[in-house]
C-alpha cells in the first residue's frame, strides 16, 4: 500500500505517536507507543493499533487527551471532525 502522511502527532506526555495516513487502500489512523531508554531517549515504536476513521480524505489528527483523538477529513460537501477513544 502506498500513501502519504496527512498528520503526525506525539501525545502531550510523549508516550504515544498518532499517524493519519492517506493510502491507496483508503485512510488509516494508527497509534503506537513510544519506547524509550532509561535516559528517556526514544528508541522504537510499539505495535501499531489501527483506529476507525471515515472513508474521506485525511486532513489532520490531534490528541484531545491521553486516550482520545480527533480527526479532520475532507469530503465533497463537508469536512467532518471525528472523535475516537
Amino acid at each position: 500500500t502506498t500513501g502519504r502522511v496527512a498528520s503526525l502527532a506525539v501525545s502531550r506526555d510523549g508516550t504515544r505517536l498518532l499517524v493519519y495516513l492517506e493510502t491507496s487502500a483508503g485512510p488509516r489512523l494508527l497509534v503506537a507507543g513510544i519506547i524509550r531508554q532509561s535516559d528517556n531517549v526514544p528508541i522504537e515504536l510499539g505495535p501499531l493499533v489501527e483506529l476507525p476513521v471515515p472513508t474521506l480524505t485525511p486532513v489532520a489528527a490531534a490528541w484531545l487527551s491521553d486516550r482520545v483523538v480527533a480527526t479532520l477529513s475532507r469530503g465533497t460537501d463537508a469536512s467532518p471532525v471525528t472523535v475516537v477513544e
Side-chain angles (χ1 to χ4, degrees):
T1 302
T2 61
R4 73 171 182 87
V5 174
S7 185
L8 182 73
V10 175
S11 61
R12 290 181 190 116
D13 64 0
T15 61
R16 291 168 307 286
L17 179 69
L18 173 67
V19 183
Y20 198 14
L21 302 169
E22 181 177 9
T23 75
S24 57
R28 296 181 71 193
L29 182 63
L30 305 171
V31 176
I34 298 172
I35 299 168
R36 298 177 181 272
Q37 294 177 345
S38 60
D39 59 358
N40 208 27
V41 174
I43 56 171
E44 64 182 308
L45 296 175
L48 292 171
V49 175
E50 189 159 2
L51 302 175
V53 289
T55 57
L56 301 171
T57 303
V59 174
W63 290 98
L64 299 182
S65 72
D66 62 337
R67 297 183 48 90
V68 180
V69 298
T71 63
L72 174 64
S73 50
R74 184 174 50 247
T76 55
D77 298 328
S79 295
V81 173
T82 303
V83 177
V84 181
E85 184 172 1

